[in-house]
Amino acid sequence: MNGERKVISFTVTGFGEEYTVQTYENEYRNLMVLLNDKIYMEDFGQCGGQGRCATCLVEVTAPGGGLLTHERNEQSTIAKKGRVGQNARLSCQIFINDALNGAVINIPDDLL
Ligand code: FES
């Protein structure tokens, strides 16, 4: 099936809502950009994806424990928000690929 892109499907929860999101590998630069496009959120991703502001923080539950490897400096940015825990990630450091398939991404509303 040349040229057919595999659909990546995952769930986003937040603000008392649950959304099913479908995308393709690398359709967006990263998960923060995708969330801003699909679910408008004021003040989400303020630093534009540089990994500095932590306004794009999400809590990740992924099948097989994927998506839980932090990028360089990510943990120190997250710690500024007083969050600990392996499942807290900066969504701007998560790329759109198969590891997202079946994941649940929670947007903690106490951070916004
Ligand atoms: S957009 Fe600022 S840390 Fe992700």
Side-chain angles (χ1 to χ4, degrees):
M1 300 253 253
N2 266 346
E4 226 174 83
R5 295 194 286 178
K6 185 174 179 242
V7 174
I8 297 167
S9 178
F10 58 97
T11 303
V12 179
T13 58
F15 319 105
E17 304 277 341
E18 182 171 313
Y19 310 86
T20 300
V21 173
Q22 295 202 323
T23 184
Y24 317 92
E25 182 152 6
N26 297 325
E27 187 185 13
Y28 292 87
R29 195 155 45 93
N30 55 49
L31 182 60
M32 179 274 287
V33 176
L34 179 150
L35 291 172
N36 257 335
D37 187 48
K38 304 247 188 214
I39 306 164
Y40 175 73
M41 290 178 283
E42 208 175 339
D43 297 333
F44 188 81
Q46 282 178 1
C47 76
Q50 295 180 63
R52 295 209 187 120
C53 70
T55 61
C56 69
L57 193 144
V58 293
E59 293 164 343
V60 170
T61 309
L67 300 179
L68 296 181
T69 306
H70 292 88
E71 298 299 323
R72 207 158 55 94
N73 298 332
E74 192 178 350
Q75 241 150 356
S76 61
T77 301
I78 290 170
K80 283 193 227 156
K81 284 276 184 180
R83 285 275 154 150
V84 284
Q86 181 75 2
N87 72 339
R89 295 282 323 263
L90 300 176
S91 58
C92 68
Q93 305 300 310
I94 297 177
F95 298 110
I96 310 302
N97 60 36
D98 211 38
L100 263 177
N101 207 21
V104 178
I105 307 293
N106 181 51
I107 302 164
D109 44 13
D110 59 315
L111 286 179
L112 294 176

